[in-house]
Amino acid sequence: MSNGDDAPDDTAEPDEAADEETALSADTLEARLNDVESTLEAAETEATLDEVEEDLNAIEADLEAADLPEPDEEDEDAEDPRAELEDRVADLRDQLEDERGPYVEDVVEVVEEASATVADTRWTEDGRPDVAAAIEAYLSETGDHLDADLSAPDEGLETLADALDQAEATVAESGLHPDDDAETIAALIETADTLTDDLEAAEEWGDLTVREQLSAEGFYDVLESENRKDFPAEWNAIKIYEQQGEVEPILKSLDTFDSDFMEENALDALWRMGPEEAFDEMHQRAQKRNKMPVKILGKIGDDRACETLHDFIDGDGDAALQKITLRSLGEIGSEESTQPVANRLDADSYEVRSAAARALGLLGDTRAIEPLADVLADDEADEVRASAAWALNQIGTERALDVVSEYADDRAYIVQAEAEKAV
């Protein structure tokens, strides 16, 4: 009896496997995708689109589990049913996304970008009124669509920008439904897109030429009729500002010049002036390992730059940059630099060793006397030994001068000369 009862179950298993195989065949999956496409074309509500997405998810899962025939690798024209079905699923997903919405979130995204543009852009005097007009128009039209008062209390650009942020929040909280309020949402998107276009058309600082920017900043006001015709006018203006000790116009122009020649002249002026007001700008530029800003930091003499400059003298990289940096550290004169500079007395480059010795002389720290004495006694390069003797003379204590004076009969004349100063 038990064998007879079990027989129907045994015969059912192959049938179930056959049904599953049929359900996961390429033809069946293709037919299901055809049904999804038809439903998608006729869809009018978000609920229907949600159902389409669920069907696509199910088909994709079945496609992954299906045992489909592999294409013949030797036949370049052989069809790959799995790849074709995967492409069809991807195309239907793209169509699904195109059919969705519009949503309130789409409006908010556009307005968020517009608000950021208003806040982050430097507008010209001609551009500010256009920006204000664009925001006012947006607030009025959006208020009409939502039956809300979104007007600003005054016409100032800052006030209008705040009102724009408030309008964005009002749209986000409107509760508009993509099915029931599709026309209103579409109108809000159109209004937001118009705001974006109007902001793009408004004149911003970057739209001006270099000369227009400098003129708007009053850079040329310093020029008199007799030197206004000299070429280039910017060069003359920089020289006059340097003579007058005016740092701010030179710094403003430095960020505007698109000429390496003019930038070089502006930096040269700042190097000669060494103004504290230029520290932040020069420190920022120096972090890119630009040599002239490093030199200017030395002239400024602010020890806030030391930590940055110490990094530039590590290792045996750019010798030219190391020499300039060592000089600047010496000019700044912070005792915190004594050890990092003294470490460079062992550099591979004799020029770097020489610059390190001279920097120690500028620093004037008596802790450097013994390291400099060792250099004077042992370094193979006479230029480095002469720099060490010079540095000891600069330190000028009795111990430092005693060390140098011992080399009055040195084999190298340049060392003798420094020793004679000590004697």
Side-chain angles (χ1 to χ4, degrees), residues 120-332:
D120 298 340
T121 303
R122 183 180 179 185
W123 305 101
T124 66
E125 289 302 315
D126 291 336
R128 290 176 66 88
D130 292 338
V131 173
I135 297 175
E136 286 181 326
Y138 170 79
L139 294 174
S140 176
E141 292 184 29
T142 300
D144 291 342
H145 294 318
L146 296 177
D147 192 21
D149 181 11
L150 301 178
S151 60
D154 60 63
E155 298 180 356
L157 185 54
E158 289 71 20
T159 305
L160 287 167
D162 291 339
L164 183 59
D165 291 338
Q166 184 58 49
E168 174 193 322
T170 301
V171 172
E173 297 167 1
S174 63
L176 296 176
H177 192 276
D179 290 335
D180 301 336
D181 305 298
E183 291 185 4
T184 300
I185 296 174
L188 288 171
I189 289 179
E190 183 177 353
T191 303
D193 287 340
T194 299
L195 171 62
T196 299
D197 293 340
D198 290 345
L199 292 177
E200 186 174 337
E203 186 178 69
E204 58 180 279
W205 191 251
D207 296 331
L208 301 179
T209 65
V210 170
R211 181 150 291 199
E212 288 172 337
Q213 291 180 16
L214 290 173
S215 181
E217 293 280 9
F219 181 76
Y220 300 102
D221 294 349
V222 72
L223 296 175
E224 302 293 340
S225 58
E226 62 269 16
N227 56 26
R228 186 175 287 274
K229 296 179 182 179
D230 294 341
F231 182 82
E234 293 80 13
W235 190 8
N236 287 293
I238 286 175
K239 289 190 291 185
I240 294 172
Y241 283 123
E242 181 184 348
Q243 293 168 2
Q244 296 177 348
E246 294 287 338
V247 179
E248 194 61 32
I250 300 177
L251 289 174
K252 285 184 177 179
S253 67
L254 191 58
D255 287 333
T256 307
F257 289 140
D258 56 1
S259 161
D260 291 340
F261 171 77
M262 290 310 306
E263 180 176 311
E264 181 180 342
N265 278 276
L267 290 173
D268 283 343
L270 292 172
W271 175 69
R272 288 187 291 269
M273 298 169 74
E276 180 67 30
E277 302 95 311
F279 174 81
D280 289 338
E281 178 70 19
M282 293 305 103
H283 189 225
Q284 181 177 351
R285 288 171 176 260
Q287 290 177 35
K288 299 177 182 178
R289 298 179 181 259
N290 293 337
K291 296 181 178 65
M292 195 59 183
V294 172
K295 290 178 65 176
I296 296 170
L297 287 174
K299 279 297 188 73
I300 293 173
D302 191 323
D303 59 11
R304 288 179 295 168
C306 290
E307 183 176 355
T308 297
L309 299 184
H310 291 165
D311 290 340
F312 298 172
I313 59 174
D314 282 343
D316 287 302
D318 186 340
L321 175 62
Q322 291 204 37
K323 288 163 58 181
I324 290 172
T325 305
L326 287 164
R327 172 76 184 187
S328 291
L329 287 170
E331 290 178 328
I332 292 171

Side-chain angles (χ1 to χ4, degrees), residues 26 67-86:
D67 184 15
L68 301 179
E70 297 291 335
D72 185 353
E73 295 182 358
E74 297 181 358
D75 184 358
E76 295 182 356
D77 298 327
E79 295 181 354
D80 184 352
R82 181 179 299 278
E84 292 177 359
L85 289 168
E86 288 175 347

